[in-house]
């Protein structure tokens, strides 16, 4: 499998070039190995419309335009690995709201914010970023111990809440959409390991 990276700042034609190469590949061979275009979730529909606006391309079957979450689902489906029951975004916020109240006395910075309307939603967004950057509760705790400032207390609270959230998911045998890419990567590693044996 060949991989090429197109790098450059916004507006330099990366998307245009990708779409031009995809159109050419689809026109040359409508059938063949799958083509995957990764894009942010909010851009997938727009990219489909851009591709289909070309009069020479009336449709396609081998191309999939996927967000990162849908790529993870695609991989897990192909490898016949079920991701398990997923917790919705609304469910995640409800769980975080409950965990904030349960852990209120252990929190250093977020104690006063725990009951504020909208705080669980903001916390959900922040924890999502931490998960995407693969910052674990252990890493956050270590960072908290290395810093002497208000940031240390904030990292402590984030580590505590992220750990409580992961424990809650495990106890209830649920998956979080933010962990789907990790599951897909693990499935690919397992596939590679079993192919080498």
């Amino acid at each position: 499998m060949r991989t090429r990276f197109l790098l450059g700042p916004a507006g330099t034609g990366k998307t245009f070039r990708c779409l031009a190469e995809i159109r050419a590949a689809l026109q040359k061979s409508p059938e063949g190995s799958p083509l995957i275009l990764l894009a942010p979730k909010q851009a997938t529909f727009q990219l489909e419309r851009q591709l289909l606006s070309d009069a020479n391309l009336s449709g396609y079957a081998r191309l999939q335009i996927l967000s990162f979450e849908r790529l993870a689902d695609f991989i897990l489906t192909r490898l016949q690995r079920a991701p398990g029951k997923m917790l919705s975004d609304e469910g995640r916020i409800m769980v975080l709201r409950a965990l904030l109240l349960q852990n209120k006395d252990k929190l250093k910075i977020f104690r006063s914010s725990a009951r504020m309307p909208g705080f669980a939603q903001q916390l959900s967004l922040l924890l999502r970023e931490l998960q995407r950057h693969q910052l674990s509760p252990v890493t956050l705790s270590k960072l908290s111990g290395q810093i002497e400032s208000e940031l240390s207390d904030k990292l402590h609270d984030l580590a505590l809440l992220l750990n409580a959230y992961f424990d809650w998911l495990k106890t209830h045998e649920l998956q979080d959409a933010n962990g789907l890419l990790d599951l897909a990567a693990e499935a690919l590693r397992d596939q590679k390991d079993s192919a080498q044996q």
Side-chain angles (χ1 to χ4, degrees):
M1 183 169 105
R2 189 180 68 163
T3 303
R4 269 189 311 144
F5 292 94
L6 295 177
L7 305 173
T12 56
K14 298 179 303 292
T15 302
F16 179 82
R17 178 154 179 197
C18 288
L19 293 177
E21 289 187 22
I22 288 169
R23 277 189 199 101
L26 290 172
Q27 288 168 352
K28 181 180 177 183
S29 176
E31 296 176 10
S33 58
L35 298 173
I36 296 175
L37 176 60
L38 281 176
K41 188 186 294 187
Q42 66 274 14
T44 55
F45 181 69
Q46 178 187 355
L47 289 169
E48 286 177 359
R49 289 190 62 189
Q50 282 180 280
L51 272 172
L52 293 174
S53 67
D54 186 337
N56 297 323
L57 185 66
S58 56
Y60 55 84
R62 65 184 272 220
L63 171 67
Q64 293 201 43
I65 302 174
L66 304 173
S67 64
F68 285 97
E69 291 83 9
R70 288 189 55 212
L71 172 66
D73 190 48
F74 174 81
I75 291 168
L76 292 169
T77 300
R78 287 280 234 198
L79 297 177
Q80 298 177 344
R81 298 264 300 256
K85 291 185 230 168
M86 299 299 290
L87 181 65
S88 69
D89 285 340
E90 294 83 13
R92 176 184 169 97
I93 292 168
M94 290 172 63
V95 169
L96 289 174
R97 195 174 294 131
L99 292 174
L100 279 164
L101 295 177
Q102 287 172 11
N103 293 286
K104 184 178 170 202
D105 295 333
K106 298 176 193 169
L107 298 173
K108 296 180 179 183
I109 292 286
F110 297 149
R111 183 180 301 168
S112 60
S113 307
R115 289 184 179 264
M116 289 179 63
F119 183 71
Q121 188 169 7
Q122 290 302 313
L123 178 64
S124 176
L125 295 173
L126 181 55
L127 294 183
R128 178 174 289 140
E129 284 302 310
L130 294 173
Q131 286 176 269
R132 285 184 179 156
H133 289 90
Q134 297 183 329
L135 290 168
S136 68
V138 172
T139 303
L140 293 172
S141 291
K142 284 181 184 175
L143 288 171
S144 172
Q146 296 171 358
I147 300 170
E148 290 191 28
S149 70
E150 198 173 272
L151 178 59
S152 173
D153 292 343
K154 190 178 278 191
L155 290 170
H156 165 271
D157 288 359
L158 290 170
L160 180 108
L161 292 167
L162 188 57
N163 192 52
Y165 178 64
F166 287 158
D167 287 346
W168 188 93
L169 287 172
K170 189 175 181 179
T171 301
H172 292 85
E173 298 178 352
L174 290 170
Q175 296 289 333
D176 182 288
N178 297 310
L180 269 181
L181 281 172
D182 293 333
L183 287 173
E186 184 181 323
L188 287 170
R189 279 191 292 275
D190 291 348
Q191 180 80 6
K192 181 182 174 188
D193 291 344
S194 47
Q196 291 176 346
Q197 292 175 355

